[in-house]
Amino acid sequence: MYTKVNSMAIQGIDGQVISVETDVSAGLPEFSMVGYLSSEVREARERVRISLKNSGFSLAPRRITVNLSPADLRKEGTSFDLAVALGILASYGCLPDAELTNLAAIGELGLDGSVHSVPGVLSMVAAAREAGISACIVPKANEAEGALVEEIRVIGVDSLPEAVHLLSTSGGWRNIAQTLGNVLEDKPQYEVDFCEVNGQAALKRAAEVAAAGMHNLLMIGPPGSGKTMIAKRIPTILPELTRSESLEVSKIYSVCGLLSPVSPLKRERPFRAPHHTVSYRALVGGGRVPRPGEISLANRGVLFLDELPEFSKISLEVLRQPLEERTVQISRVYGSYQFPADCMVVAAMNPCRCGYYPDRNRCQCSDADVKRYLQRVSRPLLDRMDLCVEAPAIGYEAVRGKGENENSDQIRKRVKSAWERQTIRFKGLGISCNAQMTGKQVKKFCLLGEQEEAMMERIFDTLGLSARAYHRILKVARTIADLDGEDEIKEQHLGEAIGYRGLEQRFWG
């Protein structure tokens, strides 16, 4: 008897409907699976066979053939186990195949018949809804995650017998009350706040400007000057994630298996801080079966690269294209994958190996040592950093911190106001912040008056700026004007934006 059950697979970060076709016929007892399968999918034969036995299903020896379609798409992962088991039972007549119509089954089977969680359920359920499937049976541990997707019924099960009972009872799964996914009712909770940062007024201002336009930020200074402290608090001044942004971020974390089963919806802006020994594949994504990297996990948030020169050269250079295009494109024999990388990159570094240059009372590095250390960061990568700011050593009075500092809520209000201006400005253009503007959009939205134009011309010739650096100065100036509530870029806005490039010239020449 032939039956068909829908299941789901992950391709990149998106779900893909897989048809699990099962045929049970007379002949020598055999259990074969076909359809361009990876080793873990082929191993499903043993998991399903023993799971059926230990769940109390006694099936007569028959020739069982299972095909996972489309056959030209390589199948990876263990999410097909439950669908294969249900298909076999339906082919044996133990299940009414009518109940399997317009339904998808997702889950890994244990040898005792239990249904284990699998990564990527959020993406799978979303793809099932887009394909017109009306319900998904998922592992109980993934039920809250799947229920985040609206307009599709998600039923969680703990075991194979429980799934069979639901499908054997007329209207059984249809009578189960739908579990609603978490909604954005509570504000994100951060453990850190800008009020804890004493001194470093210029550094805090640069962080605010960077957050207001989602600009990339490079901080240079000696150890203990507060660079990491500032970076960790930048997510606290970014506006809260919208529902759609929250689902977008949760989808990436779901594929990587990083979602909490209790509270699967990501409410906080991501903050990722990989160690400088990270491989380039872990940083931007990749592998034999491509998976998102750290820059994609930081999507809609902050990717912090501490000790920037200590990262391998290849790891830094592969960042250049994602920083420009805000996506990662990976091509493999099995297909091409595109991962989002729309994040704010914040980097921190010492000015030399010992960290104290240009303080010659403390720095023991020669000029050649300093130059070699700084040259670990290439000029093309520097060109992609919108703001470059110095973090000077903190004095005793700043450490004592007698005064009262602005908290993150106060700064976030100004940043949010600047974001609202950008949302109105870029309505219908497919971008949301100043950092995303193309050259054509810079020309349209970053118009300069005669005095500002003359000022920019002088600076361009004096500093020997590249075309990319010129556009980035205008973008930052546009953000500073937005923070001031101004429609036009004025000299003070342009001057501040140019000041954020001066440090680059000072250290790299």
Side-chain angles (χ1 to χ4, degrees), residues 153-332:
R153 185 178 292 273
V154 177
I155 305 106
V157 295
D158 285 316
S159 65
L160 176 60
E162 183 182 348
V164 171
H165 175 73
L166 280 172
L167 296 170
S168 299
T169 307
S170 180
W173 61 266
R174 295 180 179 84
N175 295 328
I176 295 178
Q178 176 66 66
T179 301
L180 297 178
N182 289 334
V183 295
L184 290 172
E185 293 178 352
D186 301 327
K187 290 186 177 181
Q189 300 295 320
Y190 295 102
E191 296 180 355
V192 294
D193 194 281
F194 258 93
C195 67
E196 301 158 352
V197 182
N198 297 325
Q200 298 294 21
L203 199 58
K204 288 191 280 190
R205 168 64 177 176
E208 180 180 339
V209 172
M214 287 299 280
H215 299 290
N216 300 325
L217 171 65
L218 173 63
M219 298 176 285
I220 305 176
S225 56
K227 303 185 295 295
T228 301
M229 194 174 188
I230 291 283
K232 287 182 176 179
R233 284 153 180 78
I234 288 177
T236 70
I237 63 173
L238 292 172
E240 298 170 14
L241 290 168
T242 64
R243 172 78 180 188
S244 61
E245 288 175 338
S246 210
L247 286 171
E248 179 186 344
V249 173
S250 298
K251 186 176 176 182
I252 300 169
Y253 278 70
S254 172
V255 169
C256 296
L258 298 176
L259 282 185
S260 164
V262 178
S263 181
L265 189 64
K266 297 292 289 184
R267 292 185 172 90
E268 298 83 14
R269 293 271 174 185
F271 179 84
R272 303 293 298 184
H275 192 261
H276 61 258
T277 57
V278 66
S279 69
Y280 74 90
R281 288 189 180 90
L283 191 58
V284 299
R288 185 181 62 82
V289 181
R291 286 288 181 265
E294 291 289 340
I295 194 169
S296 295
L297 289 168
N299 188 56
R300 303 291 182 182
V302 175
L303 175 66
F304 178 47
L305 304 177
D306 200 6
E307 305 295 345
L308 186 66
E310 302 299 333
F311 284 78
S312 69
K313 184 175 180 63
I314 187 172
S315 294
L316 292 180
E317 295 309 306
V318 296
L319 282 175
R320 285 158 56 177
Q321 187 175 356
L323 287 181
E324 197 73 23
E325 300 179 0
R326 297 184 179 266
T327 59
V328 176
Q329 188 77 32
I330 299 175
S331 297
R332 293 289 183 269

Side-chain angles (χ1 to χ4, degrees), residues 91-104:
S91 293
Y92 269 96
C94 300
L95 272 178
D97 56 0
E99 289 296 311
L100 300 176
T101 305
N102 207 28
L103 180 143

Side-chain angles (χ1 to χ4, degrees), residues 137 142 235 387:
I137 296 179
N142 296 123
L387 295 87

Side-chain angles (χ1 to χ4, degrees), residues 196-501:
E196 301 158 352
V197 182
N198 297 325
Q200 298 294 21
L203 199 58
K204 288 191 280 190
R205 168 64 177 176
E208 180 180 339
V209 172
M214 287 299 280
H215 299 290
N216 300 325
L217 171 65
L218 173 63
M219 298 176 285
I220 305 176
S225 56
K227 303 185 295 295
T228 301
M229 194 174 188
I230 291 283
K232 287 182 176 179
R233 284 153 180 78
I234 288 177
T236 70
I237 63 173
L238 292 172
E240 298 170 14
L241 290 168
T242 64
R243 172 78 180 188
S244 61
E245 288 175 338
S246 210
L247 286 171
E248 179 186 344
V249 173
S250 298
K251 186 176 176 182
I252 300 169
Y253 278 70
S254 172
V255 169
C256 296
L258 298 176
L259 282 185
S260 164
V262 178
S263 181
L265 189 64
K266 297 292 289 184
R267 292 185 172 90
E268 298 83 14
R269 293 271 174 185
F271 179 84
R272 303 293 298 184
H275 192 261
H276 61 258
T277 57
V278 66
S279 69
Y280 74 90
R281 288 189 180 90
L283 191 58
V284 299
R288 185 181 62 82
V289 181
R291 286 288 181 265
E294 291 289 340
I295 194 169
S296 295
L297 289 168
N299 188 56
R300 303 291 182 182
V302 175
L303 175 66
F304 178 47
L305 304 177
D306 200 6
E307 305 295 345
L308 186 66
E310 302 299 333
F311 284 78
S312 69
K313 184 175 180 63
I314 187 172
S315 294
L316 292 180
E317 295 309 306
V318 296
L319 282 175
R320 285 158 56 177
Q321 187 175 356
L323 287 181
E324 197 73 23
E325 300 179 0
R326 297 184 179 266
T327 59
V328 176
Q329 188 77 32
I330 299 175
S331 297
R332 293 289 183 269
V333 174
Y334 306 131
S336 294
Y337 305 83
Q338 184 169 300
F339 301 131
D342 187 7
C343 67
M344 174 183 170
V345 175
V346 178
M349 60 179 287
N350 298 330
C352 65
R353 181 171 290 280
C354 74
Y356 296 107
Y357 179 83
D359 182 358
R360 283 306 187 182
N361 294 323
R362 305 176 70 183
C363 178
Q364 302 301 314
C365 302
S366 67
D367 290 342
D369 290 338
V370 173
K371 187 175 181 180
R372 268 194 303 271
Y373 186 78
L374 293 174
Q375 284 178 343
R376 293 184 183 183
V377 182
S378 69
R379 289 307 296 256
L381 183 62
L382 280 173
D383 253 1
R384 288 164 171 81
M385 305 306 291
D386 302 318
L387 295 87
C388 184
V389 62
E390 185 174 13
I394 301 176
Y396 178 70
E397 288 300 321
V399 173
R400 287 183 67 193
K402 281 189 174 182
E404 191 170 325
N405 301 317
E406 265 193 316
N407 61 38
S408 293
D409 284 339
Q410 293 171 304
I411 302 173
R412 185 169 59 246
K413 286 178 182 177
R414 297 195 296 269
V415 172
K416 189 175 182 180
S417 177
W419 276 44
E420 288 169 352
R421 293 177 66 87
Q422 293 166 55
T423 300
I424 295 170
R425 178 184 303 131
F426 301 131
K427 186 177 181 180
L429 296 180
I431 63 174
S432 58
C433 61
N434 289 330
Q436 297 174 342
M437 282 192 287
T438 63
K440 183 178 179 181
Q441 290 162 344
V442 168
K443 190 174 182 180
K444 179 179 179 181
F445 297 115
C446 300
L447 295 174
L448 300 178
E450 290 185 9
Q451 291 181 328
E452 290 78 16
E453 193 72 61
M455 179 182 181
M456 193 68 230
E457 185 178 356
R458 289 195 305 273
I459 294 298
F460 187 89
D461 293 334
T462 303
L463 299 182
L465 299 176
S466 67
R468 180 182 287 113
Y470 167 76
H471 283 136
R472 289 183 181 273
I473 287 174
L474 291 182
K475 292 177 186 179
V476 173
R478 177 68 269 169
T479 298
I480 297 169
D482 288 338
L483 281 169
D484 287 349
E486 298 285 351
D487 292 329
E488 297 179 356
I489 297 174
K490 298 182 178 179
E491 282 188 277
Q492 65 265 28
H493 307 140
L494 197 57
E496 184 178 350
I498 292 169
Y500 292 130
R501 308 295 301 195

Side-chain angles (χ1 to χ4, degrees), residues 115-177:
V115 180
H116 299 166
S117 63
V118 292
V121 165
L122 181 57
S123 294
M124 294 181 191
V125 174
R129 182 193 61 186
E130 295 301 318
I133 294 172
S134 59
C136 287
I137 296 179
V138 302
K140 194 70 175 179
N142 296 123
E143 184 178 19
E145 175 185 341
L148 294 173
V149 182
E150 299 172 342
E151 299 177 5
I152 185 171
R153 185 178 292 273
V154 177
I155 305 106
V157 295
D158 285 316
S159 65
L160 176 60
E162 183 182 348
V164 171
H165 175 73
L166 280 172
L167 296 170
S168 299
T169 307
S170 180
W173 61 266
R174 295 180 179 84
N175 295 328
I176 295 178

